[in-house]
Amino acid sequence: MDLLLQQTVNAFALGGTYALLALGLAVVFSIMGLINFAHGELMTISGYTLMYCGIAGVSFVLAVPLAIAVAMIAAILMERIAFRPVRNSSGATMLVTSFAVSMILQVLFQNFISTRSQPVLLPQILSDSVNVFGLIIGVNKIAAIATTIVMLVFLDIFMKRQKTGIAMRAAAEDFNVARLMGIRANTVIAGAFALSGMLAGVAAVLWVSQRSSVDPHMGFLPVVKAFIAAILGGLGSLRGAVAGGFLLGFIEIYLAAFLPPELQEFREPIGLSLVVVVLLFRPNGLIPAASLKSEKV
């Protein structure tokens, strides 16, 4: 029973990170119809910001908001430089553009920083563990779960009560009608990228805090998992992205913990098979978007 509870905590921590990344993808997709595969590089940028802050002696408390802010600025610049010029192009063009941006950033990381994994200085407290009702839980796991809850609450309030969030929801429902009502496309899309950058930055902090290192490909695997989570939850659905992220986290952690040793090498394909099974019964995802847009803006 203790093992089950322990692994459940781990699943919440990992699933929360996937959920934040999937939300970042879903926010942009719901408005632009774009799967931004360069989303993972925003994580990497945030990770390198943490690394350089550690080298410069900047306090981790200050480094965290700085890393998130840098990811937000990078996301806004990414939209302005790479995606805005091709906004009215086909979906394939925007998809290729996102791959190109991802590859360019990875090459820049490799040539101007390092091809190898670099250590990130973290506070000692993140390596400690605490006893919670008999369970030994890492502080970084508790921080990941608490941060995920705070971010989800913040996002819910932002989307329902803030003017920009309401505009994003309206644009996700029907962008053309939203524009006729006076909503500016550039402002809404830039806001969506800033929000996705913030979510990527927070996810990067959680990811780095559990691994203490950063490398040029740090964001690739998490964003692939987030993409799977977004499809699992319902592409374009914010609530679906959260549900898909947590479900994928639970599948991964439980398979790693309870799958027989002789089957551990097949853990990844078994996990993906379970995802496929879920999609067979829910082809549009767990919580599909109310209206999936067929046209870009």
Side-chain angles (χ1 to χ4, degrees), residues 234-245:
L235 200 55
S237 165
L238 302 187
R239 293 182 185 278
V242 175

Side-chain angles (χ1 to χ4, degrees), residues 96-112:
V96 170
T97 302
S98 75
F99 274 116
V101 172
S102 174
M103 296 301 295
I104 290 170
L105 289 175
Q106 287 184 21
V107 171
L108 291 177
F109 297 148
Q110 292 170 353
N111 284 278
F112 290 102

Side-chain angles (χ1 to χ4, degrees), residues 70-148:
V70 170
M72 292 177 67
I73 294 171
I76 294 172
L77 290 175
M78 189 182 292
E79 186 274 332
R80 184 68 184 86
I81 296 171
F83 294 118
R84 188 174 297 186
V86 297
R87 188 184 296 171
N88 294 316
S89 303
S90 67
T93 300
M94 291 203 295
L95 187 63
V96 170
T97 302
S98 75
F99 274 116
V101 172
S102 174
M103 296 301 295
I104 290 170
L105 289 175
Q106 287 184 21
V107 171
L108 291 177
F109 297 148
Q110 292 170 353
N111 284 278
F112 290 102
I113 300 178
S114 174
T115 57
R116 298 181 177 180
S117 178
Q118 301 294 310
V120 177
L121 294 175
L122 298 174
Q124 178 60 38
I125 190 173
L126 289 175
S127 302
D128 294 339
S129 299
V130 295
N131 189 323
V132 181
F133 302 113
L135 289 178
I136 305 300
I137 303 174
V139 172
N140 54 8
K141 298 284 192 307
I142 296 174
I145 294 171
T147 303
T148 301

Side-chain angles (χ1 to χ4, degrees), residues 48-84:
Y48 277 125
T49 304
L50 286 176
M51 182 192 78
Y52 282 117
C53 284
I55 294 173
V58 177
S59 165
F60 189 73
V61 175
L62 295 177
V64 168
L66 183 60
I68 296 171
V70 170
M72 292 177 67
I73 294 171
I76 294 172
L77 290 175
M78 189 182 292
E79 186 274 332
R80 184 68 184 86
I81 296 171
F83 294 118
R84 188 174 297 186

